[in-house]
Coordinates of all heavy atoms in Angstrom, one line a residue:
M1 N 0.8 -1.2 0.0 CA 0.0 0.0 0.0 C 0.8 1.3 0.0 O 1.9 1.3 0.5 CB -0.9 -0.1 1.2 CG -1.1 1.2 2.0 SD -2.7 1.4 2.6 CE -2.6 3.1 3.0
D2 N 0.4 2.3 -0.7 CA 1.2 3.5 -0.8 C 0.8 4.6 0.3 O -0.3 4.7 0.6 CB 0.8 4.1 -2.1 CG 1.5 3.4 -3.3 OD1 2.8 3.3 -3.2 OD2 0.8 2.9 -4.2
Y3 N 1.9 5.2 0.8 CA 1.7 6.2 1.7 C 2.3 7.5 1.1 O 3.1 7.5 0.1 CB 2.5 6.0 3.0 CG 1.9 4.8 3.8 CD1 2.5 3.6 3.7 CD2 0.7 5.0 4.4 CE1 2.0 2.5 4.4 CE2 0.2 3.9 5.2 CZ 0.8 2.7 5.1 OH 0.2 1.6 5.8
P4 N 1.8 8.7 1.5 CA 2.4 9.9 0.9 C 3.8 10.2 1.3 O 4.1 9.9 2.5 CB 1.5 11.0 1.6 CG 0.4 10.3 2.3 CD 0.8 9.0 2.6
A5 N 4.5 10.7 0.4 CA 5.9 11.2 0.7 C 5.9 12.6 1.0 O 6.7 13.2 1.8 CB 6.8 10.9 -0.5
E6 N 4.8 13.3 0.4 CA 4.7 14.7 0.5 C 3.2 15.1 0.5 O 2.5 14.6 -0.4 CB 5.4 15.3 -0.7 CG 6.3 16.5 -0.4 CD 6.9 17.0 -1.8 OE1 7.8 16.3 -2.3 OE2 6.4 18.0 -2.2
I7 N 2.8 16.1 1.4 CA 1.5 16.5 1.3 C 1.5 18.1 1.3 O 2.2 18.6 2.2 CB 0.6 16.0 2.5 CG1 0.6 14.5 2.7 CG2 -0.8 16.6 2.5 CD1 0.0 14.0 3.9
S8 N 0.9 18.7 0.4 CA 0.9 20.1 0.5 C -0.5 20.7 0.2 O -1.3 20.2 -0.7 CB 1.9 20.8 -0.4 OG 1.6 20.4 -1.8
N9 N -0.9 21.7 1.0 CA -2.2 22.3 0.9 C -2.0 23.7 0.4 O -1.5 24.5 1.1 CB -2.9 22.2 2.2 CG -4.4 22.6 2.1 OD1 -5.1 22.4 1.2 ND2 -4.8 23.3 3.1
D10 N -2.6 24.1 -0.7 CA -2.6 25.4 -1.2 C -4.0 26.0 -0.9 O -4.9 25.8 -1.7 CB -2.3 25.3 -2.7 CG -2.4 26.7 -3.4 OD1 -2.6 27.7 -2.7 OD2 -2.2 26.7 -4.7
R11 N -4.0 26.8 0.1 CA -5.3 27.4 0.5 C -5.8 28.5 -0.5 O -6.9 28.5 -0.8 CB -5.2 28.1 1.9 CG -5.1 27.0 3.0 CD -5.1 27.7 4.3 NE -6.3 28.4 4.6 CZ -6.4 29.3 5.6 NH1 -5.4 29.6 6.4 NH2 -7.5 30.0 5.8
A12 N -4.8 29.3 -1.0 CA -5.3 30.3 -2.0 C -5.8 29.7 -3.2 O -6.8 30.1 -3.8 CB -4.1 31.2 -2.2
G13 N -5.0 28.7 -3.7 CA -5.5 28.0 -5.0 C -6.5 26.9 -4.8 O -7.1 26.4 -5.7
R14 N -6.8 26.6 -3.5 CA -7.8 25.6 -3.1 C -7.5 24.3 -3.8 O -8.3 23.6 -4.3 CB -9.2 26.0 -3.4 CG -9.5 27.3 -2.6 CD -10.9 27.8 -2.9 NE -11.0 29.1 -2.2 CZ -12.1 29.4 -1.4 NH1 -13.1 28.6 -1.3 NH2 -12.1 30.5 -0.8
L15 N -6.2 23.8 -3.5 CA -5.8 22.6 -4.1 C -5.0 21.8 -3.0 O -4.2 22.4 -2.3 CB -4.9 22.8 -5.2 CG -5.5 23.4 -6.6 CD1 -4.4 23.8 -7.5 CD2 -6.3 22.3 -7.3
L16 N -5.3 20.5 -3.0 CA -4.5 19.6 -2.2 C -3.7 18.7 -3.0 O -4.2 18.2 -4.0 CB -5.4 18.7 -1.2 CG -4.7 17.7 -0.4 CD1 -4.0 18.4 0.8 CD2 -5.6 16.6 0.1
T17 N -2.3 18.6 -2.7 CA -1.4 17.8 -3.6 C -0.8 16.8 -2.7 O -0.3 17.1 -1.6 CB -0.3 18.7 -4.2 OG1 -1.0 19.8 -4.9 CG2 0.5 17.9 -5.2
I18 N -0.8 15.6 -3.2 CA 0.0 14.5 -2.5 C 0.9 13.8 -3.5 O 0.5 13.6 -4.7 CB -1.0 13.4 -2.0 CG1 -1.8 13.9 -0.8 CG2 -0.2 12.1 -1.5 CD1 -2.7 12.9 -0.1
V19 N 2.1 13.8 -3.1 CA 3.1 12.9 -3.9 C 3.3 11.6 -3.1 O 3.7 11.6 -1.9 CB 4.5 13.6 -4.0 CG1 5.4 12.8 -4.9 CG2 4.3 15.0 -4.7
W20 N 3.0 10.5 -3.7 CA 3.1 9.2 -3.1 C 4.4 8.7 -3.1 O 5.3 9.2 -3.9 CB 2.1 8.2 -3.8 CG 0.6 8.7 -3.7 CD1 0.0 9.4 -4.7 CD2 -0.3 8.6 -2.7 NE1 -1.3 9.7 -4.3 CE2 -1.5 9.2 -3.1 CE3 -0.2 8.0 -1.5 CZ2 -2.7 9.2 -2.3 CZ3 -1.4 8.0 -0.6 CH2 -2.5 8.6 -1.0
Q21 N 4.7 7.7 -2.3 CA 6.0 7.2 -2.2 C 6.5 6.5 -3.5 O 7.8 6.4 -3.7 CB 6.1 6.1 -1.0 CG 6.1 6.8 0.3 CD 6.1 5.9 1.5 OE1 5.9 4.7 1.4 NE2 6.2 6.5 2.7
D22 N 5.6 6.2 -4.4 CA 6.1 5.6 -5.7 C 6.2 6.7 -6.7 O 6.4 6.4 -7.9 CB 5.1 4.5 -6.1 CG 3.7 5.1 -6.4 OD1 3.4 6.3 -6.2 OD2 2.8 4.3 -6.8
G23 N 6.1 7.9 -6.3 CA 6.4 9.0 -7.2 C 5.2 9.6 -7.9 O 5.3 10.6 -8.6
V24 N 4.0 8.9 -7.8 CA 2.8 9.5 -8.4 C 2.3 10.7 -7.7 O 2.3 10.7 -6.4 CB 1.7 8.4 -8.4 CG1 0.4 8.9 -8.9 CG2 2.1 7.2 -9.3
R25 N 1.9 11.7 -8.5 CA 1.5 12.9 -7.9 C 0.0 13.2 -8.2 O -0.4 13.0 -9.4 CB 2.3 14.1 -8.5 CG 2.0 15.5 -8.0 CD 3.0 16.4 -8.8 NE 2.8 17.8 -8.3 CZ 1.9 18.7 -8.8 NH1 1.1 18.3 -9.7 NH2 1.9 19.9 -8.2
Q26 N -0.8 13.5 -7.2 CA -2.2 13.7 -7.4 C -2.6 15.0 -6.8 O -2.0 15.4 -5.8 CB -3.0 12.6 -6.8 CG -3.0 11.3 -7.6 CD -3.8 10.2 -6.9 OE1 -3.5 9.8 -5.8 NE2 -4.9 9.8 -7.5
Q27 N -3.5 15.7 -7.5 CA -3.9 17.0 -7.0 C -5.4 17.1 -7.1 O -6.0 16.7 -8.2 CB -3.3 18.1 -7.8 CG -3.4 19.5 -7.3 CD -2.6 20.5 -8.1 OE1 -2.7 20.6 -9.3 NE2 -1.6 21.0 -7.4
W28 N -6.1 17.5 -6.1 CA -7.6 17.7 -6.1 C -8.0 19.0 -5.7 O -7.4 19.6 -4.6 CB -8.2 16.7 -5.1 CG -7.8 15.3 -5.2 CD1 -8.5 14.3 -6.0 CD2 -6.8 14.6 -4.5 NE1 -7.8 13.1 -5.9 CE2 -6.7 13.2 -5.0 CE3 -5.7 15.0 -3.7 CZ2 -5.8 12.3 -4.6 CZ3 -4.9 14.0 -3.2 CH2 -4.8 12.8 -3.6
P29 N -8.9 19.6 -6.3 CA -9.5 20.8 -5.8 C -10.2 20.6 -4.5 O -10.8 19.5 -4.3 CB -10.6 21.2 -6.9 CG -10.2 20.4 -8.1 CD -9.5 19.2 -7.6
H30 N -10.2 21.6 -3.6 CA -10.8 21.3 -2.3 C -12.3 20.9 -2.4 O -12.8 20.2 -1.7 CB -10.7 22.6 -1.4 CG -9.2 22.8 -1.0 ND1 -8.8 23.9 -0.4 CD2 -8.1 21.9 -1.1 CE1 -7.5 23.8 -0.1 NE2 -7.1 22.7 -0.5
A31 N -13.0 21.6 -3.4 CA -14.4 21.3 -3.6 C -14.7 19.8 -3.9 O -15.7 19.2 -3.5 CB -15.0 22.2 -4.6
Q32 N -13.7 19.2 -4.6 CA -13.8 17.8 -5.0 C -13.7 16.9 -3.8 O -14.4 15.9 -3.6 CB -12.7 17.6 -6.0 CG -12.4 16.1 -6.2 CD -13.2 15.3 -7.1 OE1 -14.3 15.9 -7.4 NE2 -12.9 14.2 -7.5
L33 N -12.8 17.3 -2.9 CA -12.6 16.6 -1.7 C -13.8 16.6 -0.7 O -14.4 15.6 -0.2 CB -11.4 17.1 -0.9 CG -10.1 16.8 -1.6 CD1 -9.0 17.6 -1.1 CD2 -9.7 15.3 -1.5
R34 N -14.4 17.9 -0.7 CA -15.6 18.0 0.1 C -16.8 17.2 -0.4 O -17.5 16.5 0.3 CB -16.1 19.5 0.2 CG -17.3 19.8 1.0 CD -17.1 19.2 2.5 NE -18.3 19.6 3.3 CZ -18.3 20.6 4.1 NH1 -17.3 21.4 4.2 NH2 -19.4 20.9 4.7
A35 N -16.9 17.2 -1.8 CA -17.9 16.4 -2.4 C -17.8 14.9 -2.2 O -18.8 14.1 -2.4 CB -18.0 16.7 -3.9
H36 N -16.7 14.5 -1.8 CA -16.4 13.1 -1.5 C -16.1 12.8 0.0 O -15.4 11.8 0.3 CB -15.3 12.5 -2.4 CG -15.7 12.4 -3.8 ND1 -15.7 13.5 -4.7 CD2 -16.3 11.4 -4.5 CE1 -16.1 13.1 -5.8 NE2 -16.6 11.9 -5.8
C37 N -16.5 13.7 0.8 CA -16.2 13.6 2.3 C -16.8 12.2 2.7 O -17.9 11.8 2.4 CB -16.8 14.7 3.1 SG -16.7 14.6 4.9
K38 N -16.0 11.5 3.6 CA -16.3 10.2 4.0 C -17.1 10.2 5.3 O -17.4 9.1 5.8 CB -15.0 9.4 4.2 CG -14.2 9.0 3.0 CD -14.8 7.8 2.4 CE -14.3 6.5 3.2 NZ -15.0 5.3 2.7
C39 N -17.4 11.3 5.9 CA -18.1 11.3 7.2 C -19.5 10.7 7.0 O -20.1 10.9 5.9 CB -18.1 12.6 7.9 SG -19.3 13.8 7.4
T40 N -20.1 10.2 8.1 CA -21.4 9.6 8.0 C -22.5 10.7 7.5 O -23.4 10.4 6.7 CB -21.9 9.0 9.2 OG1 -21.6 9.9 10.3 CG2 -21.1 7.7 9.6
Q41 N -22.3 11.9 8.1 CA -23.2 13.0 7.8 C -23.2 13.3 6.2 O -24.4 13.3 5.6 CB -22.8 14.2 8.5 CG -23.7 15.4 8.4 CD -23.1 16.6 9.0 OE1 -22.2 16.5 9.9 NE2 -23.5 17.8 8.6
C42 N -22.1 13.4 5.6 CA -22.0 13.7 4.2 C -22.4 12.5 3.4 O -23.1 12.6 2.4 CB -20.6 14.1 3.8 SG -20.1 15.7 4.5
Q43 N -22.1 11.3 3.8 CA -22.4 10.1 3.0 C -23.9 9.9 3.0 O -24.6 9.6 2.0 CB -21.7 8.8 3.6 CG -20.2 9.0 3.4 CD -19.6 7.6 3.4 OE1 -19.6 6.9 2.3 NE2 -19.0 7.2 4.4
S44 N -24.5 10.2 4.2 CA -26.0 10.0 4.1 C -26.7 11.1 3.4 O -27.8 10.8 2.7 CB -26.6 9.9 5.6 OG -26.3 11.0 6.3
Q45 N -26.2 12.3 3.4 CA -26.7 13.3 2.5 C -26.6 13.0 1.0 O -27.7 13.2 0.3 CB -25.9 14.7 2.7 CG -26.1 15.3 4.0 CD -27.4 16.1 4.2 OE1 -27.8 16.7 3.2 NE2 -28.1 15.9 5.3
R46 N -25.5 12.4 0.6 CA -25.4 12.0 -0.7 C -26.3 10.9 -1.1 O -27.0 10.8 -2.1 CB -23.9 11.5 -1.0 CG -23.0 12.8 -1.1 CD -21.7 12.4 -1.8 NE -20.9 11.4 -1.1 CZ -20.0 11.7 -0.1 NH1 -19.8 13.0 0.3 NH2 -19.3 10.8 0.5
L47 N -26.5 9.9 -0.1 CA -27.5 8.8 -0.4 C -28.9 9.3 -0.6 O -29.6 8.8 -1.4 CB -27.5 7.8 0.7 CG -26.3 6.9 0.9 CD1 -26.3 6.1 2.1 CD2 -26.3 5.9 -0.4
L48 N -29.2 10.4 0.1 CA -30.5 11.1 -0.1 C -30.6 12.0 -1.3 O -31.7 12.6 -1.6 CB -30.9 11.9 1.2 CG -31.0 11.2 2.5 CD1 -31.0 12.1 3.7 CD2 -32.3 10.3 2.5
G49 N -29.5 12.0 -2.0 CA -29.5 12.7 -3.3 C -29.2 14.2 -3.2 O -29.4 15.0 -4.1
A50 N -28.7 14.7 -2.0 CA -28.5 16.1 -1.9 C -27.2 16.5 -2.6 O -26.3 15.7 -2.8 CB -28.3 16.4 -0.4
K51 N -27.2 17.6 -3.2 CA -26.1 18.2 -3.9 C -25.0 18.6 -2.9 O -25.4 19.0 -1.8 CB -26.5 19.3 -4.8 CG -27.4 19.0 -6.0 CD -27.2 20.0 -7.1 CE -27.7 19.4 -8.4 NZ -28.8 20.2 -9.0
P52 N -23.8 18.4 -3.3 CA -22.7 18.8 -2.3 C -22.8 20.4 -2.1 O -23.2 21.1 -3.0 CB -21.4 18.6 -3.0 CG -21.7 18.1 -4.4 CD -23.3 17.9 -4.6
L53 N -22.6 20.7 -0.9 CA -22.5 22.2 -0.5 C -21.4 22.8 -1.2 O -20.3 22.3 -1.3 CB -22.3 22.3 1.0 CG -23.4 21.8 1.9 CD1 -22.9 21.7 3.3 CD2 -24.6 22.6 1.8
R54 N -21.7 24.0 -1.9 CA -20.6 24.7 -2.6 C -20.7 26.2 -2.1 O -21.5 26.9 -2.5 CB -20.8 24.7 -4.1 CG -20.6 23.3 -4.8 CD -19.1 23.0 -4.7 NE -18.9 21.6 -5.1 CZ -18.6 21.2 -6.4 NH1 -18.5 22.1 -7.3 NH2 -18.3 20.0 -6.7
S55 N -19.8 26.4 -1.3 CA -19.6 27.9 -0.9 C -18.1 28.1 -0.7 O -17.4 27.2 -0.7 CB -20.4 28.2 0.4 OG -19.8 27.5 1.5
Q56 N -17.8 29.4 -0.4 CA -16.5 29.8 -0.1 C -15.9 28.9 1.0 O -14.7 28.5 0.9 CB -16.4 31.2 0.3 CG -16.7 32.2 -0.8 CD -15.5 32.4 -1.7 OE1 -15.3 31.7 -2.7 NE2 -14.7 33.5 -1.4
E57 N -16.7 28.7 2.0 CA -16.3 28.0 3.2 C -16.2 26.5 3.0 O -15.2 25.9 3.4 CB -17.2 28.4 4.4 CG -17.1 29.8 4.9 CD -17.7 30.8 4.0 OE1 -18.7 30.4 3.3 OE2 -17.2 31.9 4.0
T58 N -17.2 26.0 2.4 CA -17.2 24.5 2.3 C -16.1 24.0 1.2 O -15.7 22.9 1.3 CB -18.6 24.0 1.8 OG1 -19.0 24.6 0.6 CG2 -19.6 24.3 2.8
S59 N -15.8 24.9 0.3 CA -14.8 24.5 -0.7 C -13.4 24.9 -0.4 O -12.6 25.1 -1.3 CB -15.2 25.1 -2.0 OG -16.6 24.7 -2.4
R60 N -13.1 25.0 0.9 CA -11.8 25.5 1.3 C -11.3 24.6 2.4 O -12.0 24.4 3.4 CB -11.7 26.9 1.7 CG -10.4 27.5 2.0 CD -10.5 28.9 2.5 NE -10.9 28.9 3.9 CZ -11.9 29.7 4.4 NH1 -12.5 30.5 3.6 NH2 -12.2 29.7 5.6
V61 N -10.1 24.0 2.2 CA -9.5 23.2 3.4 C -8.5 24.1 4.2 O -7.6 24.6 3.6 CB -8.7 22.0 2.8 CG1 -8.0 21.3 3.9 CG2 -9.7 21.0 2.1
D62 N -8.9 24.4 5.3 CA -8.1 25.3 6.2 C -6.9 24.6 6.9 O -6.0 25.1 7.2 CB -9.0 25.9 7.3 CG -9.8 27.1 6.7 OD1 -9.4 27.6 5.6 OD2 -10.7 27.6 7.5
N63 N -7.2 23.4 7.2 CA -6.2 22.6 8.0 C -6.3 21.1 7.7 O -7.3 20.6 7.3 CB -6.5 22.9 9.4 CG -5.2 22.9 10.2 OD1 -4.2 22.4 9.8 ND2 -5.3 23.4 11.5
L64 N -5.2 20.5 7.9 CA -5.2 19.0 7.8 C -4.4 18.3 8.8 O -3.5 18.9 9.3 CB -4.8 18.6 6.4 CG -3.7 19.3 5.7 CD1 -2.4 18.5 6.0 CD2 -4.0 19.2 4.2
R65 N -4.8 17.1 9.2 CA -4.0 16.3 10.1 C -3.8 14.9 9.6 O -4.8 14.3 9.1 CB -4.9 16.2 11.5 CG -5.2 17.5 12.1 CD -6.0 17.3 13.4 NE -6.5 18.6 13.9 CZ -7.8 18.9 13.8 NH1 -8.7 18.0 13.5 NH2 -8.2 20.1 14.2
V66 N -2.6 14.5 9.7 CA -2.3 13.2 9.3 C -2.7 12.2 10.4 O -2.3 12.4 11.7 CB -0.8 13.0 9.0 CG1 -0.5 11.5 8.7 CG2 -0.5 13.9 7.7
I67 N -3.6 11.2 10.1 CA -4.0 10.3 11.2 C -3.2 9.0 11.0 O -3.6 8.0 10.4 CB -5.5 9.9 11.0 CG1 -6.4 11.2 10.9 CG2 -6.0 9.0 12.2 CD1 -6.4 12.1 12.1
G68 N -1.9 9.1 11.6 CA -1.1 7.9 11.5 C -0.9 7.2 10.2 O -0.7 8.0 9.2
N69 N -1.0 5.9 10.1 CA -0.9 5.2 8.9 C -2.2 5.2 8.2 O -2.4 4.6 7.1 CB -0.4 3.8 9.1 CG 1.1 3.8 9.4 OD1 1.8 4.8 9.1 ND2 1.4 2.7 10.1
Y70 N -3.3 5.8 8.8 CA -4.6 5.5 8.3 C -5.1 6.5 7.1 O -5.5 6.0 6.1 CB -5.6 5.6 9.5 CG -7.0 5.4 9.0 CD1 -7.4 4.1 8.8 CD2 -8.0 6.4 8.9 CE1 -8.7 3.8 8.4 CE2 -9.2 6.2 8.5 CZ -9.6 4.8 8.2 OH -10.9 4.6 7.8
G71 N -4.8 7.7 7.3 CA -5.3 8.6 6.3 C -5.2 10.1 6.8 O -4.4 10.4 7.6
L72 N -6.0 10.9 6.2 CA -5.9 12.4 6.4 C -7.2 12.9 6.8 O -8.3 12.6 6.2 CB -5.5 13.0 5.0 CG -5.0 14.4 4.9 CD1 -3.7 14.6 5.7 CD2 -4.8 14.8 3.5
Q73 N -7.2 13.7 7.9 CA -8.4 14.4 8.3 C -8.4 15.9 7.8 O -7.3 16.6 7.9 CB -8.5 14.5 9.8 CG -9.7 15.2 10.4 CD -9.8 15.3 11.9 OE1 -8.7 15.1 12.5 NE2 -10.9 15.6 12.4
L74 N -9.4 16.2 7.1 CA -9.5 17.6 6.5 C -10.4 18.5 7.4 O -11.5 18.0 7.7 CB -10.0 17.5 5.1 CG -9.1 16.7 4.1 CD1 -9.7 16.8 2.7 CD2 -7.6 17.2 4.1
V75 N -10.0 19.7 7.6 CA -10.8 20.7 8.3 C -11.2 21.8 7.3 O -10.3 22.5 6.7 CB -10.1 21.4 9.4 CG1 -10.9 22.3 10.2 CG2 -9.5 20.3 10.4
F76 N -12.5 21.8 7.0 CA -13.0 22.7 6.0 C -13.3 24.2 6.6 O -13.3 24.2 7.8 CB -14.2 22.2 5.3 CG -13.9 21.0 4.4 CD1 -13.9 19.7 4.8 CD2 -13.5 21.2 3.1 CE1 -13.6 18.6 4.0 CE2 -13.2 20.2 2.2 CZ -13.3 18.9 2.7
G77 N -13.5 25.1 5.7 CA -13.6 26.5 6.1 C -14.9 26.7 6.9 O -15.0 27.7 7.7
D78 N -15.9 25.8 6.9 CA -17.1 25.9 7.7 C -16.9 25.1 8.9 O -18.0 24.8 9.6 CB -18.3 25.5 6.9 CG -18.3 24.1 6.4 OD1 -17.2 23.5 6.4 OD2 -19.3 23.5 6.1
R79 N -15.7 24.8 9.3 CA -15.4 24.0 10.6 C -15.8 22.5 10.5 O -15.9 21.8 11.4 CB -16.1 24.6 11.8 CG -15.7 26.0 12.1 CD -14.3 26.2 12.7 NE -13.4 26.8 11.7 CZ -12.2 26.5 11.5 NH1 -11.6 25.6 12.2 NH2 -11.5 27.2 10.6
H80 N -16.1 22.1 9.3 CA -16.6 20.7 9.1 C -15.3 19.9 9.1 O -14.4 20.1 8.3 CB -17.3 20.5 7.8 CG -17.8 19.2 7.6 ND1 -18.9 18.7 8.2 CD2 -17.4 18.1 6.8 CE1 -19.2 17.4 7.8 NE2 -18.2 17.1 7.0
E81 N -15.1 19.0 10.1 CA -13.9 18.2 10.2 C -14.1 16.8 10.6 O -13.3 16.2 11.2 CB -13.0 19.0 11.3 CG -13.7 19.1 12.6 CD -12.7 19.7 13.7 OE1 -11.6 20.1 13.3 OE2 -13.1 19.7 14.8
R82 N -15.3 16.3 10.2 CA -15.6 14.9 10.6 C -15.1 13.9 9.5 O -15.1 12.7 9.8 CB -17.1 14.7 10.7 CG -17.7 15.6 11.8 CD -19.1 15.4 12.0 NE -19.5 14.1 12.3 CZ -20.7 13.6 12.1 NH1 -21.7 14.4 11.6 NH2 -21.0 12.4 12.4
G83 N -14.6 14.4 8.4 CA -14.2 13.6 7.3 C -12.8 13.1 7.5 O -11.9 13.9 7.5
I84 N -12.6 11.8 7.5 CA -11.3 11.2 7.5 C -11.1 10.5 6.2 O -11.9 9.6 6.0 CB -10.9 10.4 8.7 CG1 -10.9 11.3 10.0 CG2 -9.6 9.7 8.6 CD1 -10.8 10.6 11.3
Y85 N -10.1 10.7 5.5 CA -9.9 10.2 4.1 C -8.8 9.1 4.2 O -7.6 9.5 4.2 CB -9.5 11.3 3.1 CG -10.6 12.4 3.0 CD1 -10.9 13.2 4.0 CD2 -11.3 12.5 1.8 CE1 -11.9 14.2 3.8 CE2 -12.3 13.5 1.6 CZ -12.6 14.3 2.7 OH -13.5 15.3 2.5
P86 N -9.1 7.9 4.1 CA -8.1 6.9 4.2 C -7.2 7.0 2.9 O -7.7 7.4 1.9 CB -8.9 5.5 4.1 CG -10.3 5.9 4.5 CD -10.5 7.3 4.1
W87 N -5.9 6.6 3.2 CA -4.9 6.7 2.0 C -5.4 6.0 0.7 O -5.4 6.6 -0.4 CB -3.6 6.2 2.4 CG -2.9 6.9 3.6 CD1 -2.4 6.4 4.7 CD2 -2.8 8.3 3.8 NE1 -2.0 7.4 5.5 CE2 -2.1 8.6 5.0 CE3 -3.1 9.5 3.0 CZ2 -1.9 9.8 5.5 CZ3 -2.8 10.7 3.5 CH2 -2.2 10.9 4.7
P88 N -5.9 4.8 0.9 CA -6.3 4.2 -0.4 C -7.5 4.9 -1.1 O -7.6 4.8 -2.3 CB -6.8 2.7 0.0 CG -6.1 2.5 1.3 CD -6.1 3.9 2.0
Y89 N -8.4 5.5 -0.3 CA -9.5 6.2 -0.8 C -9.0 7.4 -1.6 O -9.5 7.7 -2.7 CB -10.4 6.6 0.3 CG -11.7 7.4 -0.1 CD1 -12.7 6.7 -0.6 CD2 -11.8 8.8 0.2 CE1 -13.9 7.4 -1.0 CE2 -12.9 9.5 -0.2 CZ -14.0 8.7 -0.8 OH -15.1 9.5 -1.1
L90 N -8.0 8.1 -1.1 CA -7.5 9.3 -1.8 C -6.8 8.9 -3.0 O -7.0 9.5 -4.1 CB -6.5 10.0 -0.8 CG -7.1 10.9 0.2 CD1 -6.1 11.4 1.2 CD2 -7.8 12.1 -0.4
R91 N -6.1 7.8 -2.9 CA -5.3 7.3 -4.1 C -6.2 7.0 -5.3 O -5.9 7.2 -6.4 CB -4.5 6.1 -3.7 CG -3.7 5.4 -4.7 CD -2.4 6.2 -5.0 NE -1.8 5.7 -6.2 CZ -0.5 5.5 -6.4 NH1 0.4 5.8 -5.5 NH2 0.0 5.1 -7.5
A92 N -7.4 6.5 -4.9 CA -8.4 6.1 -5.9 C -9.3 7.2 -6.4 O -10.1 7.0 -7.3 CB -9.2 4.9 -5.4
L93 N -9.2 8.4 -5.7 CA -10.1 9.5 -6.0 C -9.6 10.3 -7.2 O -8.6 11.0 -7.0 CB -10.3 10.4 -4.7 CG -11.3 11.5 -4.8 CD1 -12.7 10.9 -5.0 CD2 -11.2 12.3 -3.5
P94 N -10.2 10.2 -8.3 CA -9.8 11.1 -9.4 C -10.0 12.5 -9.2 O -11.0 13.0 -8.6 CB -10.6 10.5 -10.6 CG -11.7 9.7 -10.1 CD -11.5 9.6 -8.6
A95 N -9.1 13.4 -9.7 CA -9.1 14.8 -9.4 C -10.2 15.4 -10.3 O -10.7 16.5 -9.9 CB -7.7 15.4 -9.7
D96 N -10.5 14.8 -11.4 CA -11.4 15.5 -12.3 C -12.8 15.0 -12.3 O -13.7 15.6 -12.9 CB -10.9 15.4 -13.7 CG -10.6 14.0 -14.2 OD1 -10.7 13.1 -13.3 OD2 -10.3 13.7 -15.3
A97 N -13.1 13.9 -11.5 CA -14.4 13.5 -11.5 C -15.3 14.2 -10.4 O -14.7 14.6 -9.4 CB -14.5 11.9 -11.1
Q98 N -16.5 14.6 -10.7 CA -17.2 15.3 -9.7 C -18.5 14.5 -9.3 O -19.1 13.9 -10.2 CB -17.8 16.6 -10.4 CG -16.7 17.6 -10.5 CD -16.1 18.1 -9.2 OE1 -16.9 18.4 -8.2 NE2 -14.9 18.4 -9.0
Ligands
ZN101 ZN1 -18.4 15.2 5.9

């Protein structure tokens, strides 16, 4: 399994970049990450067919925390921080799919 070698968060550009240990580089717009938030609240909203929230605050990652070997916790501009993104989930998340 792949772990990140480098993680960088561009708040102004609203982009999260991960370079994996095998050299693959992936970049996602913050809005894309929010639209795929893994928390139960967001997942149930999606199951109910709700459109992802799109605002200045929801589409901005203010902070992130690496959760050991497990994944990445993202803190969005509206203080939403329940989503933890496991490494394999991020690795499989295309940057251009909405
Ligand atoms: Zn969420």
Side-chain angles (χ1 to χ4, degrees):
M1 136 142 198
D2 284 302
Y3 294 103
E6 227 184 283
I7 301 172
S8 61
N9 187 39
D10 174 2
R11 286 183 62 194
R14 296 176 186 232
L15 290 167
L16 177 76
T17 305
I18 290 183
V19 181
W20 301 94
Q21 286 175 353
D22 64 359
V24 171
R25 182 178 184 274
Q26 285 179 292
Q27 190 171 63
W28 306 270
H30 291 170
Q32 160 81 350
L33 294 163
R34 179 57 176 261
H36 290 85
C37 179
K38 286 278 282 170
C39 83
T40 49
Q41 188 189 335
C42 291
Q43 295 206 77
S44 58
Q45 290 285 316
R46 287 198 295 274
L47 282 173
L48 294 168
K51 290 210 161 120
L53 297 167
R54 289 291 171 94
S55 71
Q56 292 281 86
E57 288 72 32
T58 59
S59 304
R60 187 183 75 229
V61 174
D62 277 347
N63 212 341
L64 41 87
R65 298 181 195 113
V66 172
I67 312 294
N69 284 339
Y70 183 73
L72 195 62
Q73 180 184 17
L74 301 181
V75 182
F76 289 92
D78 61 343
R79 304 285 111 219
H80 186 76
E81 56 177 8
R82 297 179 62 197
I84 295 173
Y85 298 67
W87 302 128
Y89 181 74
L90 283 168
R91 178 79 193 220
L93 184 65
D96 54 353
Q98 286 292 323

